[in-house]
């Protein structure tokens, strides 16, 4: 991430890590979460769910910071994130 | 970092405890703003720290009216426009409970308009959430009292000839104690506002400008849900504590959002208690008159 000024507590503050979980069959493919993910973690899958919509999936190369905005913006209760226990 | 094995272990969405999950996925279209508002409402109910057995959600007819059917609390789906009368009865029968009315613009302010203004006048302790999508979405996108001047709908293919209501100004003029307006993308502020409205004693009103891509956006050249959501947010300007009469929804200029009114008035139940205990104030000022006469008589006697 780019900073215009390096925060003084950058080394001491642990960065929250999250893991995005998608309830595929609830998704209706509105792409709100993909557009408003602050870290660009999400993208639309090439696969279809049971209702024929493309659903979002997390890019494993990108870092989710567990801001849970996708959870708040999803009108379908189809996506949420949990704290990643590995870090 | 493949999410799938974890999903098997953690299939539960954090809001599932207040959802009737057997009815999800809901009927709202892809990209409808009502889902976001519903999500916010559930978060707000959890955050407000109320006993969930004492919360009831009442809604009328229309897309937003489905909310009562999806929330796993005491809820009732009333007839068209009659959400507030039902909620009034519920509140009078169980004054200790918290009643939330969630409905759309057409239900709440077209067919239910008089109920709305009289509930605000009495200052009943209700929380009214109005999801404003600028048309009657469920029946195919007809003209609603909120449709902006010139906007195309099914019944006005050349553009609406009517001036829309300013719901926030109406609520404030009728005596609501808490009035706020947000777009569906102001999620955090909306949730805070809903918590405040739920905790506020008296008639609190929150209006949300929500995208309706299927019925409203499609006829007005904005088909993509994301574009509609972004447009509402980009054109909005936050003006807290502004006079609601000046808080206009002008698509060519600004959509004024914010918390406009936060004041205190005696509620209907307080006044009703006074009248029932024969403690109602002397509204004609007769007591005052009598005292003055007595004083004058005493003065003449001296």
């Amino acid at each position: 991430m780019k900073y215009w000024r390096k925060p003084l507590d950058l080394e001491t503050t642990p960065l929250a890590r999250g893991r995005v979980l998608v309830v595929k069959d609830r998704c209706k493919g509105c792409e709100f979460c993909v557009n408003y993910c602050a870290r660009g973690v999400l993208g639309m899958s090439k696969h279809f769910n049971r209702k024929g919509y493309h659903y979002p999936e997390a890019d494993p190369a990108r870092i989710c910071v567990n801001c849970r905005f996708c959870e708040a913006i999803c009108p379908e209760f189809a996506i949420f994130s949990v704290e990643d226990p590995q870090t | 970092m493949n999410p799938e094995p974890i999903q098997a272990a953690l299939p539960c969405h954090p809001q599932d405890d207040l959802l009737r999950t057997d009815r999800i996925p809901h009927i709202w279209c892809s990209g409808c703003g009502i889902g976001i508002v519903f999500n916010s409402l559930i978060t707000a109910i959890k955050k407000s720290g109320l006993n969930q057995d004492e919360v009831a959600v009442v809604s009328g007819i229309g897309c937003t009216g489905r909310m009562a059917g999806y929330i796993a609390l005491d809820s009732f789906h009333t007839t068209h426009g009659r959400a507030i009368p039902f909620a009034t009865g519920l509140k009078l029968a169980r004054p200790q409970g918290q009643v939330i009315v969630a409905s759309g613009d057409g239900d709440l302010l077209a067919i239910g308009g008089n109920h709305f203004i009289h509930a605000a006048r009495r200052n009943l302790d209700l929380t009214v959430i109005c999801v404003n999508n600028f048309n009657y979405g469920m029946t195919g996108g007809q003209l609603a009292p909120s449709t902006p001047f010139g906007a195309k709908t099914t019944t006005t293919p050349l553009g609406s000839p009517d001036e829309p209501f300013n719901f926030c100004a109406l609520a404030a003029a009728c005596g609501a104690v808490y009035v706020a307006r947000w777009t569906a993308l102001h999620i955090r502020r909306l949730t805070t506002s809903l918590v405040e409205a739920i905790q506020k004693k008296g008639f609190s009103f929150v209006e949300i400008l929500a995208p309706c891509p299927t019925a409203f956006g499609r006829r007005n050249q904005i088909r993509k849900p994301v574009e509609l959501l972004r447009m509402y947010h980009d054109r909005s300007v936050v003006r807290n504590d502004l006079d609601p009469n000046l808080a206009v929804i002008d698509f060519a200029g600004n959509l004024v959002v914010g918390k406009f009114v936060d004041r205190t008035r005696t509620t209907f139940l307080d006044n009703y208690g006074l009248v029932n205990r024969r403690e109602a104030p002397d509204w004609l000022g007769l007591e005052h008159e009598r005292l003055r006469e007595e004083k004058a008589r005493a003065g003449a006697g001296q």
Side-chain angles (χ1 to χ4, degrees):
Chain A
M1 190 172 170
K2 260 188 180 168
Y3 297 100
W4 63 273
R5 176 186 68 83
K6 194 183 157 201
L8 297 173
D9 58 354
L10 184 65
E11 275 84 28
T12 54
T13 310
L15 193 67
R17 292 287 168 90
R19 193 182 286 253
V20 181
L21 306 175
V22 181
V23 188
K24 282 185 217 163
D25 288 331
R26 285 187 186 175
C27 180
K28 289 183 192 150
C30 66
E31 302 187 20
F32 285 173
C33 53
V34 175
N35 277 274
Y36 288 99
C37 177
R39 302 298 292 255
V41 173
L42 298 164
M44 291 310 275
S45 171
K46 285 197 172 59
H47 302 285
F48 297 99
N49 65 10
R50 212 189 300 166
K51 303 238 174 199
Y53 293 103
H54 292 291
Y55 53 88
E57 58 184 10
D59 180 354
R62 300 273 192 148
I63 298 167
C64 168
V65 291
N66 201 23
C67 70
R68 301 176 74 183
F69 194 69
C70 52
E71 186 184 312
I73 205 174
C74 180
E76 309 289 333
F77 304 95
I79 190 167
F80 58 104
S81 71
V82 290
E83 203 162 328
D84 196 343
Q86 290 172 348
T87 49
Chain B
M1 271 237 210
N2 186 1
E4 274 164 42
I6 300 235
Q7 196 176 347
L10 274 171
C12 224
H13 191 278
Q15 311 285 44
D16 272 5
D17 52 340
L18 281 188
L19 282 178
R20 301 189 190 186
T21 44
D22 51 330
R23 297 187 179 186
I24 302 285
H26 48 62
I27 63 152
W28 297 317
C29 310
S30 168
C32 177
I34 300 170
I36 305 179
V37 178
F38 187 42
N39 203 332
S40 262
L41 175 65
I42 292 178
T43 314
I45 289 173
K46 284 181 184 169
K47 266 194 185 171
S48 59
L50 295 168
N51 176 8
Q52 287 173 3
D53 289 340
E54 292 292 340
V55 183
V57 179
V58 180
S59 66
I61 298 297
C63 291
T64 320
R66 305 288 300 198
M67 266 194 204
Y70 294 125
I71 194 161
L73 291 171
D74 291 337
S75 62
F76 196 75
H77 192 182
T78 66
T79 46
H80 201 357
R82 313 296 175 231
I84 289 180
F86 184 87
T88 305
L90 197 57
K91 184 68 191 175
L92 296 187
R94 284 184 70 82
Q96 72 274 33
Q98 184 67 46
V99 183
I100 300 169
V101 177
S103 218
D105 52 310
D107 179 71
L108 210 52
L109 282 135
I111 191 162
N114 265 300
H115 302 303
F116 178 83
I117 61 179
H118 289 287
R121 170 177 67 86
R122 293 183 184 123
N123 199 17
L124 256 161
D125 190 8
L126 302 176
T127 306
V128 178
I129 299 164
C130 173
V131 181
N132 182 356
N133 56 9
F134 304 106
N135 73 120
Y136 285 91
M138 183 171 269
T139 48
Q142 287 84 358
L143 182 83
S146 52
T147 308
F149 173 62
K152 292 190 174 74
T153 65
T154 317
T155 43
T156 56
L158 302 178
S160 160
D162 298 344
E163 282 288 333
F165 256 144
N166 183 348
F167 295 156
C168 286
L170 179 71
C174 295
V177 291
Y178 185 97
V179 177
R181 178 195 287 144
W182 299 106
T183 78
L185 194 50
H186 289 102
I187 298 171
R188 308 283 189 214
R189 298 183 201 229
L190 169 64
T191 310
T192 314
S193 226
L194 288 177
V195 172
E196 286 174 357
I198 289 170
Q199 288 171 343
K200 184 88 187 168
K201 213 165 173 302
F203 191 90
S204 31
F205 177 69
V206 182
E207 178 190 3
I208 300 107
L209 311 182
C212 176
T214 309
F216 185 71
R218 184 159 56 91
R219 296 196 172 80
N220 291 286
Q221 288 85 47
I222 313 162
R223 280 166 179 270
K224 283 197 80 181
V226 179
E227 279 174 29
L228 204 57
L229 186 73
R230 186 171 290 148
M231 189 194 86
Y232 290 173
H233 187 263
D234 285 352
R235 298 197 179 174
S236 69
V237 20
V238 181
R239 292 273 182 277
N240 288 321
D241 301 321
L242 186 78
D243 177 1
N245 287 317
L246 305 174
V248 291
I249 301 182
D250 175 15
F251 278 90
N254 286 323
L255 312 175
V256 184
V257 299
K259 184 175 92 178
F260 304 127
V261 176
D262 193 350
R263 62 186 169 196
T264 313
R265 274 176 71 209
T266 41
T267 63
F268 174 73
L269 282 168
D270 295 342
N271 288 341
Y272 194 63
L274 279 182
V275 172
N276 266 351
R277 291 196 303 271
R278 312 286 193 274
E279 290 169 10
D282 177 22
W283 68 279
L284 263 178
L286 286 177
E287 190 69 15
H288 183 68
E289 193 83 355
R290 197 177 58 81
L291 283 175
R292 208 168 54 188
E293 273 173 19
E294 261 178 25
K295 220 177 189 178
R297 218 176 295 138
Q302 276 172 7

